[in-house]
Amino acid sequence: MGPNGGSAAAKQAERLRIDGNTYFTKQRFGAAIDAYTEAITLCPNVPVYWTNRALCHLKRNNWERVEEDCRKAIQLDSKLVKAHYMLGLALLNREEYAKGIRELQKALDLGRGADPKGYMVEEIWQELAKAKYLEWERSSSKRSWELQSLKEVCESALKEKHFLDVPEMEGFVEVTPTHMEELEALGKVFNKAAEDDIPTEIPDYLCCKITLDIFHDPVITPSGHTYERAVIIEHLKKVGKFDPFTRQPLQLSQLVPNLAIKEAVQAFLDKHGWAYKVD
């Protein structure tokens, strides 16, 4: 290839990318894939060509190709939010939940660092929350079945013990107060064991004062109030540069991550997976 061959190839690849984008906006995904494929052939080390093609495959529900292209893009640039996001979706689609959740979490962390209020951050959070909720739902159902089975075994054991302790009279066994107390105590034990899987109210201190939803990315103001980052940023931009509750002047630069609340939220979600449910 001549001295200008590389530059010519790069220019041609960019033109093909633009063509692919045009096809994509017109929902001509096959044509877009062809254009991005030609661009990749000319310049295989440009990550955006791979992620663009992956998005086309996603629109066609070709999850195997989505995974292939996203993995290649991540090899070229491990900080690509879209690549981790789409890879996570592809893994979830083939029911590799733990791996899919890891990729979505990676995408969320990268997205928050690059653009905390970007549309993708909220979109990624929604998908991550849905995956986490489904994961909890499966685990909860399994735990519930196991607890119920164990409870029935324990009740049978108590019943057998009662038969041995109390002689049978006139064709029936008298139910003694002790036996009833044992059954009641057993029920309380199993109810306690199932407590974490029963949805209740989320504590107020774990929820944003504006949205009333559980925090995703909490930040604290100089006045000591904590808000969801994206929500308070939007308030500062569209409403005014002041704290919504204290009305004190507030600048974007004064927002500080509330790590204590973030850790508390994560601890709560780890224990109560039902709280991941999104409307």
Side-chain angles (χ1 to χ4, degrees):
M1 185 179 289
N4 296 320
S7 177
K11 288 180 180 178
Q12 178 61 18
E14 263 306 286
R15 284 194 290 271
L16 287 164
R17 180 188 69 80
I18 293 169
D19 289 344
N21 292 352
T22 301
Y23 291 134
F24 183 87
T25 57
K26 295 179 179 179
Q27 298 188 1
R28 295 177 59 189
F29 302 124
I33 287 171
D34 290 342
Y36 295 137
T37 300
E38 288 187 55
I40 288 168
T41 301
L42 291 169
C43 296
N45 294 325
V46 179
V48 71
Y49 299 161
W50 296 92
T51 53
N52 282 8
R53 191 171 72 173
L55 184 57
C56 293
H57 289 312
L58 185 151
K59 292 294 185 181
R60 302 176 98 182
N61 293 318
N62 191 338
W63 295 104
E64 184 177 346
R65 291 296 179 86
V66 172
E67 181 179 348
E68 290 173 359
D69 281 359
C70 287
R71 289 193 184 281
K72 180 60 180 179
I74 290 169
Q75 285 179 5
L76 296 170
D77 184 351
S78 62
K79 295 183 178 181
L80 285 174
V81 176
K82 286 184 179 179
H84 286 287
Y85 175 46
M86 290 189 288
L87 176 57
L89 294 180
L91 292 168
L92 291 175
N93 185 263
R94 72 180 200 196
E95 299 185 357
E96 292 194 25
Y97 297 105
K99 292 180 180 178
I101 286 170
R102 274 202 304 273
E103 291 299 327
L104 291 180
Q105 186 64 59
K106 179 72 172 176
L108 185 63
D109 294 340
L110 290 169
R112 282 174 173 166
D115 184 6
K117 193 185 171 300
Y119 77 94
M120 278 208 70
V121 170
E122 180 60 23
E123 185 178 322
I124 295 166
W125 163 259
Q126 293 288 330
E127 291 296 337
L128 178 60
K130 281 194 288 186
K132 286 275 195 177
Y133 181 78
L134 287 173
E135 184 182 50
W136 167 81
E137 205 170 34
R138 286 191 304 275
S139 300
S140 175
S141 296
K142 182 181 178 183
R143 283 192 298 271
S144 178
W145 181 85
E146 290 173 345
L147 281 173
Q148 183 60 33
S149 299
L150 182 57
K151 183 181 179 183
E152 289 171 1
V153 170
C154 292
E155 286 174 341
S156 295
L158 280 178
K159 185 176 181 180
E160 185 176 340
K161 175 179 177 294
H162 184 60
F163 274 129
L164 295 174
D165 290 346
V166 181
E168 187 172 349
M169 298 177 62
E170 298 182 5
F172 68 91
V173 176
E174 182 182 358
V175 178
T176 66
T178 301
H179 182 56
M180 292 301 296
E181 288 169 3
E182 289 174 339
L183 287 173
E184 187 177 339
L186 182 67
K188 287 180 179 178
V189 168
F190 280 93
N191 287 341
K192 184 67 176 176
E195 213 170 64
D196 289 342
D197 283 334
I198 300 173
T200 57
E201 288 189 11
I202 300 171
D204 289 342
Y205 74 95
L206 298 181
C207 298
C208 176
K209 290 180 174 65
I210 298 175
T211 66
L212 304 181
D213 293 327
I214 193 165
F215 283 115
H216 308 165
D217 189 13
V219 292
I220 191 168
T221 67
S223 64
H225 288 284
T226 299
Y227 302 99
E228 182 63 33
R229 181 192 294 273
V231 174
I232 190 64
I233 288 176
E234 181 154 357
H235 167 84
L236 294 176
K237 288 182 176 178
K238 294 186 177 180
V239 181
K241 298 188 182 303
F242 58 89
D243 188 302
F245 277 80
T246 66
R247 314 296 288 184
Q248 294 176 358
L250 178 65
Q251 298 296 323
L252 184 61
S253 60
Q254 292 178 289
L255 300 177
V256 177
N258 192 330
L259 299 180
I261 289 295
K262 189 173 184 179
E263 288 177 7
V265 166
Q266 192 56 57
F268 185 84
L269 289 170
D270 288 343
K271 190 175 182 180
H272 306 282
W274 49 263
Y276 273 111
K277 188 172 185 178
V278 293
D279 295 329

